[in-house]
Amino acid sequence: MKKIVLIKIMVVLGTFSSNAQIQKVDQEVFGMDCAPCAYGLERGVKKMDGLQNVRVSLNDGKAYLELSKNNSLSLRRIQEEVKKNGFSAKQAEVVIEGKLINKNSGYELETGTETYSIVTGASDDLNSKLKAGTVKLKGIVQDEEDGNLSGHWKIKLTEIL
Amino acid sequence: MTIPNPIFKIIFISIINVFAISTINAQGHGPLYGVPTPTLAKGGVNLNVAGMSLGTEDKTSYMLRYLFSYGITEDLQVNLTTPTMIEQLDNAPRTRGNSNMPANGDIEASLWYRFFSNAFGVGKRFESTAILGVSAPTDGVRGQVNVGNSIHGAISTGYASRTWYAWLGGGYQYYFERDQEQLGDLPYASAVVGYRPDIFKGDYPKPDWRVFVESLAEFPGDNRYLGQQDFTDSRSKKVLVGPSFLGLYGAWGISVGALFPVVQDLTPSAVKENYRVAINLSYWL
């Protein structure tokens, strides 16, 4: 009986971790002014496991990341790589799939490694359509101090996918 | 004033060298002569190979230099530069060579610390860097004076964007006495303005070019000789201005530039300069 319970728990956790993840990140980067800067950032980001496609634009000041299925990358890890290259990571547009839970009269999206608090305000129409459970969302993750990244983010929804 | 053919030899040898050592990597997207601010990424490795020439009224010097750099953190970088002297001047003017290398036969180890950085927009940042270096000579006598070890300190602050660049810096090099003789010290200041025209603003990975106007003010002190009775501690005053160009493509960078003296208020023992020319090839790993 214990074995069955254990197997069920593992199956549930396995299902959660394979679905709960960041799928796409358009990371705004400040301070990147030259081709070797972009090259260095692209090279550094590509060293991380779980990426399908990486493109860095100097003119947009952005790193465009498409993540592979079942990746375990966190936004914190991505922003730390930006800092390691000498730049400042600002807000990011992300597509995330995760477990939405109702907490303190608001919602939080959990990916297993990070938590995204849904910001109320301008996107309230969208927020009212949210239901607890597994969801896929698109939104803007607000900028946090580069030296103080905790893995707890605030996200303003732009689309429920 | 003519720029002789050996300069092309230096350019050729520089290119050969950088390709030969291209498994390492380099940095150098700041000015060619002015004190720079950019530091490497954490864990970044970098190689620069530079060819330098300095022309006086009588003779011209040629030198190759190699600069190995490593980013300990994104704000702290360690460097080692070594020379290959091709043609030396008997009495070389006291100067730094490129922004991050000596102009003479010194081996120099240095630490760059970017103590301030504010990235405030897309492609835009202010930053300030302090440089501290120690060097040991590979030649025993320079301008008939025994050469000792030296220390070098500099500080620079700069602005970078996708269109405009500016750096202001200053430094000081002090040579220690050796066998009762001493090379003169070198206080100096640099100012650089850079511009990237719209035509060169193609997005990465397209090539990226920019042009700089660089200026250096140097105040080299006179050398002290053994048994000298009338040492007056006098200084020359020089101001040099000139253009430089920086091209970047992926992990590669090339800088080419020249400086020409516009002011030369020299002490009797100092040498008059005609020009300085340099090329720097960079590769980032």
Short mmCIF file of all heavy atoms in Angstrom, two decimals, chain B residues 54-57 89 91-96 103 185-191 215-222 235-241 259-267 269-276:
data_model
loop_
_atom_site.label_atom_id
_atom_site.label_comp_id
_atom_site.label_asym_id
_atom_site.label_seq_id
_atom_site.Cartn_x
_atom_site.Cartn_y
_atom_site.Cartn_z
N LEU B 54 56.37 54.50 -32.66
CA LEU B 54 56.51 55.89 -32.24
C LEU B 54 57.64 56.50 -33.05
O LEU B 54 58.76 55.97 -33.08
CB LEU B 54 56.81 55.94 -30.73
CG LEU B 54 56.78 57.29 -30.05
CD1 LEU B 54 56.43 57.14 -28.57
CD2 LEU B 54 58.09 58.04 -30.18
N GLY B 55 57.35 57.60 -33.73
CA GLY B 55 58.35 58.22 -34.59
C GLY B 55 58.87 59.51 -33.99
O GLY B 55 58.10 60.37 -33.58
N THR B 56 60.21 59.62 -33.91
CA THR B 56 60.84 60.88 -33.49
C THR B 56 61.50 61.49 -34.73
O THR B 56 61.37 60.95 -35.84
CB THR B 56 61.90 60.64 -32.41
OG1 THR B 56 62.97 59.88 -32.97
CG2 THR B 56 61.31 59.88 -31.22
N GLU B 57 62.22 62.57 -34.55
CA GLU B 57 62.85 63.21 -35.71
C GLU B 57 63.96 62.34 -36.30
O GLU B 57 64.26 62.44 -37.48
CB GLU B 57 63.39 64.58 -35.30
CG GLU B 57 62.27 65.57 -35.03
CD GLU B 57 62.79 66.96 -34.76
OE1 GLU B 57 63.78 67.07 -34.01
OE2 GLU B 57 62.20 67.92 -35.28
N LEU B 89 64.13 52.86 -29.49
CA LEU B 89 64.78 54.17 -29.55
C LEU B 89 65.86 54.22 -28.48
O LEU B 89 65.71 53.65 -27.40
CB LEU B 89 63.76 55.28 -29.30
CG LEU B 89 62.61 55.41 -30.30
CD1 LEU B 89 61.64 56.49 -29.85
CD2 LEU B 89 63.14 55.72 -31.68
N ASN B 91 66.74 56.89 -26.86
CA ASN B 91 66.20 57.73 -25.79
C ASN B 91 64.69 57.87 -26.03
O ASN B 91 64.23 58.86 -26.60
CB ASN B 91 66.90 59.09 -25.78
CG ASN B 91 66.44 59.94 -24.61
OD1 ASN B 91 65.86 59.44 -23.65
ND2 ASN B 91 66.69 61.24 -24.70
N ALA B 92 63.95 56.88 -25.60
CA ALA B 92 62.51 56.86 -25.90
C ALA B 92 61.75 57.84 -25.02
O ALA B 92 62.05 57.96 -23.83
CB ALA B 92 61.97 55.46 -25.67
N PRO B 93 60.77 58.55 -25.59
CA PRO B 93 59.93 59.41 -24.76
C PRO B 93 59.18 58.58 -23.73
O PRO B 93 58.80 57.44 -24.00
CB PRO B 93 58.94 60.01 -25.77
CG PRO B 93 59.54 59.81 -27.10
CD PRO B 93 60.39 58.58 -27.00
N ARG B 94 59.00 59.15 -22.55
CA ARG B 94 58.27 58.43 -21.49
C ARG B 94 56.77 58.54 -21.79
O ARG B 94 56.23 59.63 -21.84
CB ARG B 94 58.55 59.08 -20.14
CG ARG B 94 57.94 58.34 -18.98
CD ARG B 94 58.89 57.40 -18.27
NE ARG B 94 60.16 58.06 -18.01
CZ ARG B 94 61.25 57.85 -18.74
NH1 ARG B 94 61.23 57.01 -19.76
NH2 ARG B 94 62.36 58.48 -18.47
N THR B 95 56.13 57.42 -22.02
CA THR B 95 54.69 57.43 -22.30
C THR B 95 54.11 56.05 -22.05
O THR B 95 54.85 55.07 -21.98
CB THR B 95 54.42 57.82 -23.78
OG1 THR B 95 53.03 57.71 -24.03
CG2 THR B 95 55.16 56.90 -24.75
N ARG B 96 52.82 55.97 -21.89
CA ARG B 96 52.14 54.69 -21.94
C ARG B 96 51.97 54.38 -23.43
O ARG B 96 51.98 55.28 -24.27
CB ARG B 96 50.76 54.79 -21.28
CG ARG B 96 50.79 55.16 -19.82
CD ARG B 96 51.26 54.04 -18.94
NE ARG B 96 50.36 52.89 -19.01
CZ ARG B 96 50.63 51.70 -18.45
NH1 ARG B 96 51.77 51.51 -17.81
NH2 ARG B 96 49.77 50.70 -18.53
N ALA B 103 54.50 51.44 -23.18
CA ALA B 103 55.05 51.68 -24.51
C ALA B 103 56.50 51.23 -24.60
O ALA B 103 57.17 51.52 -25.57
CB ALA B 103 54.96 53.16 -24.82
N ASP B 185 59.16 60.11 -13.76
CA ASP B 185 57.79 59.63 -13.60
C ASP B 185 56.89 60.16 -14.72
O ASP B 185 57.33 60.96 -15.54
CB ASP B 185 57.24 60.02 -12.22
CG ASP B 185 57.22 61.52 -12.02
OD1 ASP B 185 57.76 62.24 -12.90
OD2 ASP B 185 56.68 61.99 -11.01
N LEU B 186 55.66 59.70 -14.75
CA LEU B 186 54.75 60.12 -15.83
C LEU B 186 53.33 60.33 -15.33
O LEU B 186 52.55 59.37 -15.21
CB LEU B 186 54.73 59.05 -16.94
CG LEU B 186 53.75 59.33 -18.08
CD1 LEU B 186 54.20 60.53 -18.91
CD2 LEU B 186 53.57 58.10 -18.97
N PRO B 187 52.97 61.57 -15.01
CA PRO B 187 51.55 61.87 -14.83
C PRO B 187 50.93 62.11 -16.21
O PRO B 187 51.57 62.69 -17.09
CB PRO B 187 51.54 63.18 -14.01
CG PRO B 187 52.97 63.45 -13.68
CD PRO B 187 53.82 62.72 -14.67
N TYR B 188 49.70 61.66 -16.40
CA TYR B 188 49.06 61.88 -17.71
C TYR B 188 47.54 61.91 -17.55
O TYR B 188 46.99 61.47 -16.54
CB TYR B 188 49.46 60.78 -18.70
CG TYR B 188 48.92 59.41 -18.36
CD1 TYR B 188 47.73 58.95 -18.91
CD2 TYR B 188 49.60 58.58 -17.47
CE1 TYR B 188 47.23 57.69 -18.59
CE2 TYR B 188 49.11 57.33 -17.14
CZ TYR B 188 47.92 56.90 -17.70
OH TYR B 188 47.41 55.66 -17.37
N ALA B 189 46.90 62.45 -18.56
CA ALA B 189 45.42 62.50 -18.58
C ALA B 189 44.96 62.19 -19.99
O ALA B 189 45.69 62.44 -20.96
CB ALA B 189 44.93 63.87 -18.15
N SER B 190 43.76 61.63 -20.10
CA SER B 190 43.24 61.32 -21.44
C SER B 190 41.77 61.72 -21.54
O SER B 190 41.04 61.68 -20.55
CB SER B 190 43.40 59.83 -21.74
OG SER B 190 42.59 59.06 -20.88
N ALA B 191 41.38 62.09 -22.73
CA ALA B 191 39.97 62.40 -23.01
C ALA B 191 39.63 61.83 -24.39
O ALA B 191 40.40 61.99 -25.34
CB ALA B 191 39.73 63.91 -22.98
N SER B 215 42.64 62.10 -27.18
CA SER B 215 43.66 63.09 -26.81
C SER B 215 44.36 62.65 -25.54
O SER B 215 43.75 62.06 -24.64
CB SER B 215 43.02 64.47 -26.63
OG SER B 215 42.06 64.42 -25.60
N LEU B 216 45.64 62.94 -25.50
CA LEU B 216 46.47 62.60 -24.34
C LEU B 216 47.26 63.83 -23.93
O LEU B 216 47.79 64.54 -24.78
CB LEU B 216 47.48 61.52 -24.71
CG LEU B 216 47.13 60.05 -24.59
CD1 LEU B 216 48.33 59.21 -25.02
CD2 LEU B 216 46.74 59.69 -23.17
N ALA B 217 47.34 64.08 -22.64
CA ALA B 217 48.24 65.11 -22.10
C ALA B 217 49.23 64.39 -21.19
O ALA B 217 48.82 63.64 -20.30
CB ALA B 217 47.45 66.15 -21.32
N GLU B 218 50.50 64.57 -21.46
CA GLU B 218 51.54 63.87 -20.69
C GLU B 218 52.53 64.88 -20.12
O GLU B 218 52.87 65.87 -20.79
CB GLU B 218 52.28 62.87 -21.58
CG GLU B 218 51.37 61.77 -22.11
CD GLU B 218 52.08 60.81 -23.04
OE1 GLU B 218 53.07 61.24 -23.70
OE2 GLU B 218 51.65 59.67 -23.16
N PHE B 219 53.00 64.57 -18.92
CA PHE B 219 53.94 65.47 -18.24
C PHE B 219 55.13 64.66 -17.70
O PHE B 219 55.33 64.56 -16.48
CB PHE B 219 53.22 66.19 -17.09
CG PHE B 219 51.93 66.82 -17.52
CD1 PHE B 219 50.71 66.14 -17.34
CD2 PHE B 219 51.90 68.05 -18.15
CE1 PHE B 219 49.52 66.69 -17.77
CE2 PHE B 219 50.71 68.61 -18.58
CZ PHE B 219 49.51 67.93 -18.38
N PRO B 220 55.93 64.10 -18.60
CA PRO B 220 57.02 63.21 -18.15
C PRO B 220 58.15 63.97 -17.46
O PRO B 220 58.61 65.01 -17.94
CB PRO B 220 57.51 62.58 -19.46
CG PRO B 220 57.08 63.51 -20.54
CD PRO B 220 55.84 64.20 -20.07
N GLY B 221 58.57 63.42 -16.32
CA GLY B 221 59.68 64.03 -15.59
C GLY B 221 61.01 63.60 -16.19
O GLY B 221 61.10 62.56 -16.85
N ASP B 222 62.03 64.39 -15.95
CA ASP B 222 63.37 64.06 -16.47
C ASP B 222 63.97 62.89 -15.71
O ASP B 222 63.65 62.65 -14.54
CB ASP B 222 64.29 65.28 -16.35
CG ASP B 222 64.11 66.21 -17.56
OD1 ASP B 222 63.42 65.81 -18.51
OD2 ASP B 222 64.67 67.32 -17.52
N ARG B 235 59.91 69.06 -15.99
CA ARG B 235 58.98 68.19 -16.73
C ARG B 235 58.71 68.73 -18.13
O ARG B 235 58.62 69.94 -18.33
CB ARG B 235 57.61 68.16 -16.02
CG ARG B 235 57.60 67.40 -14.78
CD ARG B 235 56.21 67.36 -14.15
NE ARG B 235 56.37 66.67 -12.88
CZ ARG B 235 56.52 65.36 -12.77
NH1 ARG B 235 56.45 64.60 -13.85
NH2 ARG B 235 56.70 64.81 -11.60
N SER B 236 58.54 67.81 -19.05
CA SER B 236 58.05 68.20 -20.37
C SER B 236 56.53 68.23 -20.33
O SER B 236 55.91 67.63 -19.44
CB SER B 236 58.48 67.17 -21.43
OG SER B 236 59.88 67.11 -21.49
N LYS B 237 55.95 68.94 -21.29
CA LYS B 237 54.48 68.97 -21.40
C LYS B 237 54.12 68.66 -22.85
O LYS B 237 54.61 69.30 -23.77
CB LYS B 237 53.96 70.36 -21.02
CG LYS B 237 54.26 70.76 -19.59
CD LYS B 237 53.90 72.19 -19.31
CE LYS B 237 54.42 72.65 -17.96
NZ LYS B 237 55.92 72.74 -17.90
N LYS B 238 53.28 67.65 -23.00
CA LYS B 238 52.89 67.25 -24.36
C LYS B 238 51.38 67.09 -24.43
O LYS B 238 50.77 66.58 -23.48
CB LYS B 238 53.48 65.88 -24.71
CG LYS B 238 54.96 65.84 -24.87
CD LYS B 238 55.33 64.42 -25.29
CE LYS B 238 56.83 64.25 -25.25
NZ LYS B 238 57.21 62.88 -25.61
N VAL B 239 50.82 67.47 -25.54
CA VAL B 239 49.41 67.17 -25.83
C VAL B 239 49.38 66.53 -27.21
O VAL B 239 49.94 67.08 -28.17
CB VAL B 239 48.53 68.43 -25.79
CG1 VAL B 239 47.09 68.08 -26.16
CG2 VAL B 239 48.58 69.08 -24.42
N LEU B 240 48.75 65.39 -27.29
CA LEU B 240 48.64 64.68 -28.57
C LEU B 240 47.16 64.42 -28.88
O LEU B 240 46.38 64.12 -27.96
CB LEU B 240 49.37 63.34 -28.51
CG LEU B 240 50.86 63.41 -28.18
CD1 LEU B 240 51.12 63.04 -26.74
CD2 LEU B 240 51.66 62.50 -29.11
N VAL B 241 46.81 64.55 -30.13
CA VAL B 241 45.41 64.35 -30.56
C VAL B 241 45.42 63.50 -31.83
O VAL B 241 46.35 63.63 -32.66
CB VAL B 241 44.73 65.71 -30.84
CG1 VAL B 241 43.29 65.50 -31.31
CG2 VAL B 241 44.75 66.59 -29.61
N LEU B 259 48.22 59.18 -33.12
CA LEU B 259 48.23 60.42 -32.35
C LEU B 259 49.33 61.33 -32.90
O LEU B 259 50.42 60.86 -33.24
CB LEU B 259 48.51 60.16 -30.87
CG LEU B 259 47.40 59.56 -30.01
CD1 LEU B 259 47.89 59.40 -28.58
CD2 LEU B 259 46.14 60.41 -30.04
N PHE B 260 49.00 62.62 -32.93
CA PHE B 260 49.99 63.59 -33.42
C PHE B 260 50.14 64.69 -32.38
O PHE B 260 49.14 65.17 -31.83
CB PHE B 260 49.53 64.18 -34.76
CG PHE B 260 49.29 63.13 -35.80
CD1 PHE B 260 48.02 62.62 -36.03
CD2 PHE B 260 50.36 62.61 -36.52
CE1 PHE B 260 47.80 61.63 -36.96
CE2 PHE B 260 50.15 61.60 -37.46
CZ PHE B 260 48.86 61.11 -37.69
N PRO B 261 51.38 65.11 -32.10
CA PRO B 261 51.58 66.13 -31.07
C PRO B 261 51.08 67.50 -31.53
O PRO B 261 51.35 67.91 -32.66
CB PRO B 261 53.10 66.14 -30.87
CG PRO B 261 53.67 65.50 -32.06
CD PRO B 261 52.64 64.59 -32.65
N VAL B 262 50.33 68.15 -30.68
CA VAL B 262 49.91 69.53 -30.96
C VAL B 262 50.61 70.50 -30.01
O VAL B 262 50.68 71.69 -30.29
CB VAL B 262 48.37 69.68 -30.87
CG1 VAL B 262 47.69 68.93 -31.99
CG2 VAL B 262 47.83 69.23 -29.53
N VAL B 263 51.08 69.99 -28.90
CA VAL B 263 51.89 70.80 -27.98
C VAL B 263 53.08 69.95 -27.56
O VAL B 263 52.91 68.80 -27.16
CB VAL B 263 51.08 71.20 -26.71
CG1 VAL B 263 51.99 71.90 -25.71
CG2 VAL B 263 49.90 72.07 -27.07
N GLN B 264 54.27 70.51 -27.64
CA GLN B 264 55.47 69.81 -27.14
C GLN B 264 56.37 70.86 -26.48
O GLN B 264 57.19 71.50 -27.15
CB GLN B 264 56.23 69.10 -28.26
CG GLN B 264 55.53 67.86 -28.77
CD GLN B 264 56.46 66.95 -29.56
OE1 GLN B 264 57.13 66.11 -29.00
NE2 GLN B 264 56.48 67.14 -30.87
N ASP B 265 56.21 71.02 -25.22
CA ASP B 265 57.04 71.94 -24.45
C ASP B 265 58.05 71.05 -23.70
O ASP B 265 57.75 70.52 -22.63
CB ASP B 265 56.15 72.73 -23.48
CG ASP B 265 56.94 73.69 -22.64
OD1 ASP B 265 58.15 73.85 -22.91
OD2 ASP B 265 56.37 74.28 -21.70
N LEU B 266 59.21 70.86 -24.29
CA LEU B 266 60.13 69.82 -23.83
C LEU B 266 61.30 70.37 -23.03
O LEU B 266 61.79 71.47 -23.30
CB LEU B 266 60.68 69.05 -25.04
CG LEU B 266 59.63 68.44 -25.99
CD1 LEU B 266 60.32 67.81 -27.19
CD2 LEU B 266 58.79 67.42 -25.27
N THR B 267 61.75 69.57 -22.08
CA THR B 267 62.99 69.89 -21.38
C THR B 267 64.16 69.55 -22.33
O THR B 267 63.97 68.80 -23.29
CB THR B 267 63.11 69.05 -20.09
OG1 THR B 267 63.11 67.68 -20.44
CG2 THR B 267 61.96 69.35 -19.14
N SER B 269 66.55 67.54 -22.32
CA SER B 269 66.92 66.14 -22.54
C SER B 269 65.81 65.32 -23.18
O SER B 269 66.02 64.16 -23.52
CB SER B 269 67.31 65.50 -21.20
OG SER B 269 66.20 65.55 -20.32
N ALA B 270 64.61 65.90 -23.34
CA ALA B 270 63.48 65.14 -23.91
C ALA B 270 63.57 65.11 -25.43
O ALA B 270 64.19 65.97 -26.06
CB ALA B 270 62.17 65.76 -23.46
N VAL B 271 62.90 64.12 -25.98
CA VAL B 271 62.95 63.91 -27.43
C VAL B 271 61.65 64.37 -28.08
O VAL B 271 60.56 64.09 -27.57
CB VAL B 271 63.16 62.40 -27.73
CG1 VAL B 271 63.26 62.15 -29.22
CG2 VAL B 271 64.39 61.90 -27.02
N LYS B 272 61.79 65.03 -29.21
CA LYS B 272 60.60 65.51 -29.92
C LYS B 272 59.97 64.36 -30.71
O LYS B 272 60.66 63.61 -31.38
CB LYS B 272 60.99 66.64 -30.88
CG LYS B 272 59.83 67.43 -31.38
CD LYS B 272 60.30 68.62 -32.20
CE LYS B 272 59.11 69.37 -32.76
NZ LYS B 272 59.54 70.45 -33.67
N GLU B 273 58.66 64.26 -30.61
CA GLU B 273 57.94 63.19 -31.32
C GLU B 273 57.29 63.72 -32.59
O GLU B 273 56.92 64.89 -32.67
CB GLU B 273 56.80 62.66 -30.44
CG GLU B 273 57.24 61.82 -29.29
CD GLU B 273 56.03 61.24 -28.57
OE1 GLU B 273 55.14 60.68 -29.23
OE2 GLU B 273 55.97 61.38 -27.33
N ASN B 274 57.12 62.84 -33.56
CA ASN B 274 56.38 63.18 -34.77
C ASN B 274 55.00 62.54 -34.81
O ASN B 274 54.04 63.15 -35.25
CB ASN B 274 57.15 62.75 -36.02
CG ASN B 274 58.29 63.70 -36.32
OD1 ASN B 274 58.36 64.79 -35.75
ND2 ASN B 274 59.20 63.28 -37.17
N TYR B 275 54.91 61.31 -34.38
CA TYR B 275 53.62 60.60 -34.42
C TYR B 275 53.69 59.34 -33.57
O TYR B 275 54.77 58.85 -33.23
CB TYR B 275 53.24 60.22 -35.86
CG TYR B 275 54.20 59.25 -36.48
CD1 TYR B 275 54.05 57.88 -36.30
CD2 TYR B 275 55.27 59.71 -37.26
CE1 TYR B 275 54.95 56.99 -36.85
CE2 TYR B 275 56.17 58.82 -37.82
CZ TYR B 275 56.01 57.47 -37.61
OH TYR B 275 56.90 56.58 -38.15
N ARG B 276 52.52 58.82 -33.27
CA ARG B 276 52.39 57.48 -32.70
C ARG B 276 51.32 56.75 -33.51
O ARG B 276 50.28 57.34 -33.84
CB ARG B 276 51.93 57.53 -31.24
CG ARG B 276 52.91 58.22 -30.33
CD ARG B 276 52.38 58.29 -28.91
NE ARG B 276 53.19 59.19 -28.11
CZ ARG B 276 52.94 59.50 -26.84
NH1 ARG B 276 51.88 58.98 -26.23
NH2 ARG B 276 53.71 60.33 -26.18
#
